[in-house]
Amino acid sequence: SPRIWSHNWWLPQLFSPGPLLPSVAPYTICSAFFGIRNDPDTDHEMNPPLRIGVVVHEMLSSLGLPYLYDTDGRGQGVGLYDVMANPWGPDGLQLYPGALSPWSKMQLGVLPF
């Protein structure tokens, strides 16, 4: 069966289940498992838990940081310089995600302008 795709998104008010029920906006969801089921590259690992890189990336997105990876296929975004561009980390395994760039830290108010 397919796995949940980790992401941060929102549903507009028109998707609200009714006037007395809360709407779903914004939300963050992360799969509990790493890889894609029946994928020969990842399924042999016996359904390992999701690695921390994606969780960090999506949680920071829920705090308001934009994705900094390439979105149109013409470049590489900011690459390894920010976890918002590369949650996989320097070794590509998501075990050690990259750090936040100074720009991202300023956006979060961690580093003064």
Side-chain angles (χ1 to χ4, degrees):
S1 66
R3 300 250 170 93
I4 293 171
W5 185 265
S6 299
H7 64 281
N8 179 278
W9 200 250
W10 70 96
L11 293 176
Q13 191 65 28
L14 77 110
F15 287 106
S16 177
L20 300 177
L21 299 172
S23 61
V24 181
Y27 69 91
T28 299
I29 190 167
C30 290
S31 174
F33 300 103
F34 178 75
I36 301 169
R37 194 174 165 121
N38 298 323
D39 180 339
D41 293 330
T42 59
D43 203 35
H44 68 278
E45 296 178 352
M46 304 295 289
N47 300 323
L50 182 66
R51 295 177 178 165
I52 194 68
V54 167
V55 176
V56 169
H57 176 83
E58 296 303 339
M59 290 300 123
L60 288 168
S61 177
S62 73
L63 294 174
L65 285 181
Y67 297 133
L68 298 175
Y69 48 74
D70 176 40
T71 57
D72 63 9
R74 294 186 294 168
Q76 296 181 357
V78 298
L80 290 175
Y81 296 104
D82 197 303
V83 70
M84 294 310 294
N86 183 4
W88 295 86
D91 60 3
L93 297 176
Q94 293 189 37
L95 296 172
Y96 308 101
L100 286 173
S101 67
W103 182 86
S104 289
K105 290 178 183 178
M106 290 188 321
Q107 300 310 304
L108 291 172
V110 176
L111 190 66
F113 283 91

